[in-house]
Amino acid sequence: MTTQSKCLQPEGGEGDYVYVQQGVMFVNCNGRRLRQEVISRALRLAPRPPDFICLIETNTCRWERPAKWLNYTRVAHNWQNLHTNRGVEIYKHDQCPYKTVTVAASAEGDALLVQVYTQDTNFGILVVHAPHARKIGWKGYAMYWLALWANVRRQIDPRRVLMVGDVNSAFRLEDRKAQRPTDTVYQRACATLGLKDLCQLVDVPTGTWSCVAGQGTRIDTAALTEWSSLKIMRASYWPSTLLSDHHYPLLLMVHVPAVRVGKPGTECYPRLPEAHMLPIHLTA
């Protein structure tokens, strides 16, 4: 749950700063229409109650009003009625006192960006469901990420964004038991965009699977920008298929520095009147 604690500043800083600890759970529902009793049972068995639950492939429509989940309320929703296995939802725990605002939602129903406002600061949560790299090719897969993050950077400070989702491509070759030629395209996209995958931020042993279909893969992951002020402290895959047919929920503990974020100041000065400018003499 949400807590506030003190931690040391990075090297070169002075004193302590307060951070907000957030718990985030990401689940690929794989098109399952989850019943209330299934959700309640899963949340009771979860290792810890997260502040936010992010879901993809929910197959929900625009006007659907879901039942309340055991202390959780839906705060953001993206839908797509023309395609199956689409839809993104974000639920917030009732004891989490922060305000959540939807910033952007893709027309295809495969991405959702929200901004969370705490007492002192704000941060973003980006939930993605990337296309299959082997279906659209590495060029189409790369263009998906370039267009997505170009839009994110226009909407919110990328240093304060946590990305979670199903990237449909392994980051390391060891993240898929049966390797494919397209498994390195996500790694190349991260290098181009300046993103750090979960395995670069915390210890994720090889052979850790998030999808148990076939022989096992780790395609459900999280990422931060290289210059992010957020920090993923712990991450684990909960080996349970209560919420999905073959995807394990990803549990994250994230530290958000509670530093007040103001509007960026300008370094521009008003232009001097022409009369005060020095004359210029041109010579042949």
Side-chain angles (χ1 to χ4, degrees), residues 10 50 53 58 61 64 76 80 83 95 105 109 120 139 143 168 187 191 194 217 239 248 260 274 279:
I53 300 178
T58 56
C61 62
E64 183 175 353
Q80 171 55 258
H83 304 282
Q95 294 183 11
D120 300 311
K139 289 184 179 179
M143 288 304 300
N168 273 316
Q187 185 181 28
T217 56
Y248 290 162
R260 190 172 296 278
E274 297 293 332

Side-chain angles (χ1 to χ4, degrees), residues 16 78 117 121 162 169 207-208 218 225 236 242 249 270:
D16 299 338
N78 191 12
Y117 291 90
T121 187
L162 167 69
S169 175
T208 301
R218 191 185 71 85
T225 58
S236 61
L242 283 173

Side-chain angles (χ1 to χ4, degrees), residues 26-154:
F26 167 77
V27 186
N28 185 338
C29 295
N30 200 38
R32 291 181 63 182
R33 303 302 295 272
L34 302 173
R35 299 189 303 274
Q36 171 67 21
E37 60 270 17
V38 176
I39 295 295
S40 301
R41 183 159 58 99
L43 294 176
R44 288 192 185 98
L45 296 175
R48 58 181 180 270
D51 299 284
F52 295 94
I53 300 178
C54 307
L55 307 175
I56 65 170
E57 291 194 26
T58 56
N59 280 353
T60 53
C61 62
R62 179 178 182 179
W63 308 111
E64 183 175 353
R65 294 291 181 263
K68 188 178 177 60
W69 288 3
L70 189 68
N71 302 326
Y72 284 88
T73 305
R74 192 175 73 181
V75 294
H77 180 211
N78 191 12
W79 63 91
Q80 171 55 258
N81 297 330
L82 299 180
H83 304 282
T84 59
N85 292 344
R86 294 293 176 90
V88 183
E89 298 182 42
I90 298 179
Y91 286 76
K92 187 184 73 168
H93 197 282
D94 293 341
Q95 294 183 11
C96 182
Y98 305 135
K99 181 181 179 181
T100 306
V101 177
T102 300
V103 178
S106 68
E108 293 77 15
D110 57 1
L112 180 62
L113 174 64
V114 300
Q115 194 160 13
V116 181
Y117 291 90
T118 69
Q119 262 183 329
D120 300 311
T121 187
N122 63 78
F123 67 99
I125 300 177
L126 173 64
V127 187
V128 298
H129 182 199
H132 287 273
R134 58 188 175 86
K135 292 183 179 179
I136 64 173
W138 68 269
K139 289 184 179 179
Y141 188 81
M143 288 304 300
Y144 169 83
W145 287 107
L146 291 173
L148 175 68
W149 274 94
N151 189 28
V152 170
R153 288 188 169 94
R154 285 194 295 265

Side-chain angles (χ1 to χ4, degrees), residues 78-283:
N78 191 12
W79 63 91
Q80 171 55 258
N81 297 330
L82 299 180
H83 304 282
T84 59
N85 292 344
R86 294 293 176 90
V88 183
E89 298 182 42
I90 298 179
Y91 286 76
K92 187 184 73 168
H93 197 282
D94 293 341
Q95 294 183 11
C96 182
Y98 305 135
K99 181 181 179 181
T100 306
V101 177
T102 300
V103 178
S106 68
E108 293 77 15
D110 57 1
L112 180 62
L113 174 64
V114 300
Q115 194 160 13
V116 181
Y117 291 90
T118 69
Q119 262 183 329
D120 300 311
T121 187
N122 63 78
F123 67 99
I125 300 177
L126 173 64
V127 187
V128 298
H129 182 199
H132 287 273
R134 58 188 175 86
K135 292 183 179 179
I136 64 173
W138 68 269
K139 289 184 179 179
Y141 188 81
M143 288 304 300
Y144 169 83
W145 287 107
L146 291 173
L148 175 68
W149 274 94
N151 189 28
V152 170
R153 288 188 169 94
R154 285 194 295 265
Q155 304 286 345
I156 194 173
D157 185 356
R159 297 170 298 180
R160 309 186 66 82
V161 176
L162 167 69
M163 186 187 81
V164 295
D166 183 349
V167 298
N168 273 316
S169 175
F171 184 81
R172 305 171 297 190
L173 292 178
E174 298 81 7
D175 288 337
R176 189 188 298 272
K177 195 168 184 180
Q179 297 176 3
R180 295 175 181 171
T182 57
D183 277 344
T184 58
V185 292
Y186 173 61
Q187 185 181 28
R188 281 183 279 175
C190 288
T192 303
L193 295 168
L195 299 177
K196 284 192 173 183
D197 183 70
L198 183 64
C199 66
Q200 297 176 298
L201 302 170
V202 297
D203 182 25
V204 180
T206 58
T208 301
W209 311 133
S210 69
C211 177
V212 293
Q215 299 182 19
T217 56
R218 191 185 71 85
I219 57 177
D220 304 296
T221 186
L224 298 173
T225 58
E226 293 178 349
W227 53 91
S228 176
S229 59
L230 311 183
K231 187 174 182 180
I232 297 178
M233 303 303 296
R234 290 207 302 267
S236 61
Y237 290 95
W238 178 29
S240 171
T241 54
L242 283 173
L243 300 176
S244 177
D245 290 332
H246 53 264
H247 285 266
Y248 290 162
L250 171 61
L251 295 167
L252 301 172
M253 181 181 291
V254 184
H255 283 182
V256 181
V259 180
R260 190 172 296 278
V261 179
K263 293 183 178 179
T266 176
E267 296 181 357
C268 299
Y269 298 93
R271 182 185 175 96
L272 293 174
E274 297 293 332
H276 293 272
M277 300 183 68
L278 296 176
I280 299 177
H281 299 284
L282 298 178
T283 58

